[in-house]
Amino acid sequence: MKNKFLIGCLAIATLFGTQSCEDNLDIQPNSSLIAATAFQSVEDLQNALNSAYANYDNNTILLNSIFTDNTKVGVDNGGQQLTLHRLVLDPTTGVAGGIWISRYSMINKVNRIMEAAEQIEIPEGREDEVDNILGQAYALRAFAHFELFQYYTPDYQDPSGLSVPAVETVVTVENLPRNTVSEVYALMNSDLDMASSLLDSGSNDVKYVTPDFITALRARMALFAGEYAQAKGFAETLINKYPLADQAEYVDMYLDLDDTEVIFEAARVLGDARPGFIWHFSGGGPFIEMSNSLFNELDTDDVRYGVLLNADDSDPAANLHLINKYPGTAVEFLADIKVFRVSEMYLIKAEAEMRGSMLEESKATLKTLRDARFGMDTAAPDYSTLNGGLDFLLEERRIELAFEGHRYLDLKRLNRDLVRSQADCGNLDNACEISSSDRRFTLPIPLFEMNANPLMVQNPGY
């Protein structure tokens, strides 16, 4: 029987190293032969978990960089990423399919780990090790579902609105429909509860799921759900534990030399896609650059200026702004991706305070972050209304989280238009602005999924 649910087929192909999705449509993916050969030991479970981590790719960074007002066409552009930069987005767009495949592949892999853990013989004395593997698997399933939720859900706060398929078992031959927002949240919260009960409470390696990873994810989820008091509580828990990096530590963080404020980073090793290749050719030629509008927000006294901008090779007077995020050390542009940092928790806390009519408290929270980035006492932010505070927060998030996979989502969640300056827009026809209500602030369900799954419903406007 053929697997009509394409995400399951793709996940199986990536997990077991098979040739292609099409080749494997005639294979029974949940056969006893595959289970027996793939998982025979605790080491096999760990190897599969490592493979699931590897599914965190660069697609979210690419979309949030290229499709927004943070970039412009680079001096060496020969057509690279121009379609996406021109704000063309449809069910055949590569990045929309890439996020879908990578996150559902992660989900399918961890589901197989959960299933296999019930079937293999666990040696005496290794039960806690298996529990820790399973705890990470449940947390990764919640994380992958939330990433899918963020990009393919039209309305984050409509409980009955359509979201994405919530997949909690190994997909074999069934077609799966989209679940509602409330159903996806229920699965994610249940998974995080299970993860918390299984994880080693003392684990603290920032390259793996830890209890702090779960708290950070809960903070982000609560923010999107509009549960601001909860978001604030989760954020404060981490703020009380992790110091903000000073200026030297901040620079070293993006060289993978310091983890002072890192809660979780996706490890990159030789052979992985390098974040910096989103903007540069191998060898350093820039085909995408930092936008003028983002550059104009930077202050030379702010340590983020030199982390975001390659000041040595840029020439602002000539409109040349090279991106420096993730420069790499021994290998060009090869660097771990910072997924959760405590600075984001300050931004979440500040927004929650604004939403709770605590404007002065939010100013103090943002000032603490800015003091660390400037390495000196800074003036308190100046706003007197919620909307003014959110505008200030959006710009602070733009600088602090630039090229880390947030800008597109921030504009959508805060209901702001995407507006490029004329200097950044250039001759890109119809690519200077999209309104906050535009369908393109929600990704389309990929065409391959629509074709494979008759129960799938496309997002409005596509």
Side-chain angles (χ1 to χ4, degrees), residues 205-277:
D205 188 332
V206 298
K207 291 180 172 58
Y208 293 91
V209 168
T210 65
D212 292 338
F213 172 105
I214 293 173
T215 304
L217 179 54
R218 287 191 189 276
R220 198 182 279 179
M221 286 169 51
L223 185 71
F224 275 72
E227 300 287 349
Y228 300 115
Q230 290 184 25
K232 180 174 180 286
F234 291 130
E236 286 179 331
T237 296
L238 295 169
I239 288 170
N240 291 335
K241 184 173 181 179
Y242 289 80
L244 286 164
D246 63 25
Q247 287 194 311
E249 291 165 340
Y250 192 81
V251 172
D252 284 347
M253 177 167 55
Y254 292 98
L255 298 171
D256 291 340
L257 300 175
D258 187 275
D259 286 333
T260 296
E261 70 170 54
V262 176
I263 300 168
F264 174 71
E265 59 188 13
R268 302 292 90 171
V269 298
L270 197 60
D272 289 340
R274 307 178 200 178
F277 282 172

Side-chain angles (χ1 to χ4, degrees), residues 277-394:
F277 282 172
I278 292 173
W279 314 290
H280 297 88
F281 298 109
S282 177
F287 56 83
I288 292 291
E289 297 175 24
M290 181 189 298
S291 66
N292 286 276
S293 64
L294 176 55
F295 172 77
N296 290 337
E297 294 290 330
L298 303 180
D299 188 312
T300 54
D301 291 330
D302 186 337
V303 68
R304 295 172 295 192
Y305 179 95
V307 168
L308 293 177
L309 182 76
N310 181 345
D312 291 337
D313 296 326
S314 295
D315 185 358
N319 195 29
L320 180 68
H321 309 110
L322 305 192
I323 298 169
N324 193 47
K325 206 74 172 273
Y326 301 117
T329 49
V331 179
E332 183 183 44
F333 303 131
L334 182 65
D336 295 344
I337 298 174
K338 315 308 172 191
V339 179
F340 290 118
R341 296 188 290 112
V342 77
S343 63
E344 182 191 352
M345 299 302 115
Y346 277 85
L347 295 164
I348 289 174
K349 180 187 177 186
E351 181 173 346
E353 289 167 336
M354 292 176 192
R355 304 281 190 177
S357 301
M358 297 183 288
L359 294 184
E360 294 307 311
E361 290 86 345
S362 72
K363 293 177 184 179
T365 299
L366 290 172
K367 183 180 183 307
T368 300
L369 173 59
R370 289 173 57 79
D371 286 353
R373 298 301 176 245
F374 281 81
M376 66 179 77
D377 186 49
T378 62
D382 182 18
Y383 49 83
S384 57
T385 65
L386 171 61
N387 199 52
L390 292 176
D391 284 343
F392 188 96
L393 177 88
L394 183 62

